[in-house]
Amino acid sequence: MNAPAPAQRAFLFDMDGTIVDNMAFHTTSWLAFFERHGHALDADAFFRDTAGRQGHEIIAKYLGEDADHVTLLAEKEIVYRELYGPHLATVAGFDRLIASARQAGVGLVVGTAAPAENIAFTLDGLDLRHRFDAIVGAADVERGKPHPDVFLKGALLAGALPHNCIVFEDAPLGVEAARRAGMRVVVLTTTLPAEAFAAFDNVIAIVPDFSSLDVDALFASVAPALAPHHQ
């Protein structure tokens, strides 16, 4: 009798702050945007309160539920692209890791809170879209992080069960979303120090970039599977 085919495995990457080290530019552009609208915000507090949130949630938090978030988000994105465009680049070791993952038959997914326009700016600007099996963004799920929807949908599209997935994240809300989905996480300290993730039991590694990561070693560290915490 032939042995059963191995279960599909997948890597799920948050985009901003993970594939690209851009969160400082996002924060700067948000602060400049809100200053135009009469709000002077502290950068550290703003990031803690909003990292992983979808743009319309951030608009509602500071400008109210009735604000025209479509128009306002377009305004903010113009500021962001002007600031970050000249610096667009992947985090060190990313290209090597996804090439190794592809050779090992690991599915590759982007799971981000970003809108379609920002996904296009980053992935198309770096010619990365074709490297992924699925891309799940803010428009593809009803609930943003810390809800698990974006990662669960990404795993489904990759044909992988949650316990066979590893998420790459830079924000506590994203780590919590993965925990609720029953997925392990590799944290990148592009945005916050390691101490910010001390409370999470689903973190298997904390690294400054992708350079030291090995595909087989990562999957060897994910057993036993986490129990999902779907909400």
Side-chain angles (χ1 to χ4, degrees):
M1 179 181 296
N2 293 331
Q8 172 70 5
R9 303 177 298 173
F11 282 162
L12 290 87
F13 296 89
D14 174 55
M15 189 177 74
D16 292 340
T18 302
I19 296 176
V20 290
D21 186 4
N22 63 341
M23 290 309 296
F25 292 93
H26 263 304
T27 299
T28 299
S29 60
W30 273 118
L31 296 180
F33 164 80
F34 280 119
E35 187 173 357
R36 296 180 186 179
H37 292 272
H39 293 267
L41 304 176
D42 175 76
D44 291 338
F46 174 82
F47 179 81
R48 287 195 302 270
D49 292 342
T50 62
R53 300 286 189 189
Q54 296 184 0
H56 68 87
E57 296 174 308
I58 298 174
I59 294 290
K61 176 178 177 62
Y62 293 101
L63 300 181
E65 294 288 344
D66 295 331
D68 182 356
H69 69 268
V70 174
T71 300
L72 292 169
L73 279 175
E75 177 186 335
K76 180 265 173 183
E77 288 304 313
I78 290 171
V79 178
Y80 163 69
R81 290 168 195 163
E82 289 175 349
L83 288 172
Y84 184 57
H87 306 278
L88 186 62
T90 55
V91 171
F94 175 76
D95 294 316
R96 180 198 59 80
L97 180 66
I98 63 171
S100 298
R102 182 63 73 199
Q103 288 185 337
V106 176
L108 299 172
V109 176
V110 174
T112 175
E117 295 83 358
N118 193 15
I119 294 171
F121 169 75
T122 299
L123 298 186
D124 295 339
L126 293 167
D127 194 27
L128 286 176
R129 187 181 293 269
H130 68 285
R131 306 288 296 274
F132 293 98
D133 301 299
I135 299 168
V136 183
D140 301 307
V141 292
E142 291 187 7
R143 304 182 303 175
K145 303 169 186 177
H147 298 292
D149 306 27
V150 66
F151 293 137
L152 291 174
K153 183 165 186 175
L156 180 65
L157 292 173
L161 295 174
H163 68 266
N164 287 326
C165 296
I166 295 175
V167 171
F168 297 84
E169 262 286 355
D170 71 306
L173 283 178
V175 178
E176 174 62 15
R179 187 189 72 84
R180 296 183 188 185
M183 299 177 184
R184 302 287 187 177
V185 177
V186 173
V187 167
L188 279 86
T189 54
T190 54
T191 311
L192 291 173
E195 298 78 48
F197 304 92
F200 292 100
D201 61 358
N202 60 326
V203 173
I204 59 173
I206 299 178
V207 294
D209 56 42
F210 298 98
S211 300
S212 65
L213 299 179
D214 176 79
V215 174
D216 291 333
L218 287 172
F219 280 108
S221 66
V222 300
L226 291 174
H229 298 265
H230 298 180
Q231 290 186 10

